[in-house]
Amino acid sequence: MDRTNQVYEGKAKKVFATTDPEIYVVEYKDDATAFNGLKKGTIAGKGVINNRVTNHLMRLIEDNGIPTHYVRQISDRETAVRKVKIIPIEVIVRNIAAGSLSKRLGLPEGTKLSSTVLEYCYKDDELGDPMINEYHIKAMGLASEEELRLIADYSFRINRILCGYLQDLKIELIDFKLEFGKTSDGTVILADEISPDTCRFWDTETGEKLDKDRFRRDLGHVEDAYQEILRRLMGA
Ligand code: UDP
């Protein structure tokens, strides 16, 4: 299986076709953006860390019975994944108020939500990924009712798997974003990445932010935070 032409370049990753029609290769970049591309920068070593962190968590999720696109890591920055058509919905899972939810609802960051909140956003950069609900998803034909039920069920289960695992590493999972895709036979599987770019991770004891908010909010020690997440996950 060899990498052939590039099929997509996003803000943090490139995707390549391969000689196997069912397999893509993802390459993680050090580029970082925030606020819908308004803030741009690089985080040295981020691509290598996000590749490893994502694969570690994808394997954990797969081992717990949820299908993912993960196939195998190829190099520091590259991973072979199952080819999917991405469902244009970002699923946000929230355990504790932060970011846009805090702003929208006036809940101070760090407020524990008494039950897990699921939100959906329509994946469209030009529109700034607007929040949508089940009715929009159905009306726009973004996913069928059955697919959406599965996506919601998987998202809650992934939340429980990740929260339990990270708790032992003294990492609090505040919120995160998931994307799902469909394989050529229509199976819905978890795709994209799960990393400090797409999750809020707070140190359980100190509350220190160990994620992309350090970049978004110019908190400093961005690289150190990403490195610390990798270190805890790898048990080093
Ligand atoms: N998130 C993401 N990509 C997006 C939007 C959000 O990965 O395009 C993640 C973000 O890192 C956080 C969670 O989803 O872990 C919730 O983000 P929020 O809606 O609070 O938006 P933000 O405050 O990041 O603008």
Side-chain angles (χ1 to χ4, degrees):
M1 192 269 304
D2 291 310
R3 210 167 106 158
T4 57
N5 55 305
Q6 184 176 309
V7 292
Y8 173 79
E9 175 159 12
K11 286 171 253 178
K13 297 188 286 296
K14 293 178 183 177
V15 181
F16 296 86
T18 70
T19 47
D20 182 332
E22 293 300 325
I23 302 289
Y24 275 165
V25 167
V26 176
E27 184 188 310
Y28 288 77
K29 306 190 284 185
D30 286 352
D31 298 348
T33 62
F35 313 119
N36 200 26
L38 242 51
K39 184 181 170 87
K40 289 192 175 74
T42 54
I43 301 172
K46 174 172 83 80
V48 173
I49 293 174
N50 284 359
N51 188 32
R52 296 181 65 188
V53 167
T54 295
N55 293 342
H56 187 77
L57 296 176
M58 286 279 180
R59 284 190 293 259
L60 173 76
I61 290 165
E62 187 90 47
D63 289 348
N64 279 275
I66 292 166
T68 77
H69 74 166
Y70 175 77
V71 176
R72 69 188 161 87
Q73 190 167 310
I74 292 180
S75 73
D76 260 5
R77 287 180 187 271
E78 294 169 297
T79 293
V81 298
R82 289 171 69 190
K83 175 178 168 177
V84 292
K85 215 169 135 67
I86 292 287
I87 298 167
I89 301 171
E90 295 191 341
V91 183
I92 311 278
V93 185
R94 301 181 181 275
N95 298 304
I96 292 178
S100 67
L101 178 102
S102 289
K103 238 185 235 154
R104 191 158 20 96
L105 301 182
L107 291 176
E109 286 210 316
T111 308
K112 174 135 182 46
L113 300 165
S114 51
S115 59
T116 302
V117 171
L118 263 204
E119 292 172 359
Y120 304 110
C121 295
Y122 176 40
K123 238 176 96 71
D124 186 311
D125 282 339
E126 270 179 36
L127 299 175
D129 299 338
M131 196 194 281
I132 51 175
N133 64 29
E134 287 86 345
Y135 296 97
H136 299 105
I137 291 171
K138 194 177 163 197
M140 291 174 75
L142 303 180
S144 71
E145 269 179 89
E146 196 192 334
E147 285 163 355
L148 192 59
R149 247 199 314 273
L150 196 57
I151 287 169
D153 175 60
Y154 283 165
S155 299
F156 283 117
R157 282 167 61 191
I158 291 166
N159 185 46
R160 285 194 293 272
I161 295 161
L162 292 179
C163 279
Y165 178 76
L166 294 169
Q167 198 69 52
D168 292 343
L169 306 176
K170 302 263 191 318
I171 300 167
E172 187 117 50
L173 183 59
I174 306 303
D175 58 31
F176 58 101
K177 187 255 312 176
L178 296 173
E179 292 182 28
F180 293 86
K182 278 204 279 184
T183 60
S184 57
D185 69 2
T187 309
V188 173
I189 65 177
L190 179 66
D192 197 50
E193 67 177 289
I194 307 178
S195 71
D197 269 11
T198 64
C199 304
R200 285 194 169 93
F201 295 133
W202 293 2
D203 182 278
T204 311
E205 269 151 28
T206 65
E208 190 188 358
K209 292 178 172 52
L210 299 170
D211 56 57
K212 197 172 158 188
D213 272 348
R214 301 206 74 85
F215 168 78
R216 294 188 188 99
R217 304 177 187 187
D218 296 317
L219 300 176
H221 300 286
V222 184
E223 286 85 358
D224 294 342
Y226 280 68
Q227 197 67 55
E228 178 62 16
I229 290 297
L230 179 66
R231 194 189 65 78
R232 291 196 198 181
L233 257 53
M234 299 302 157

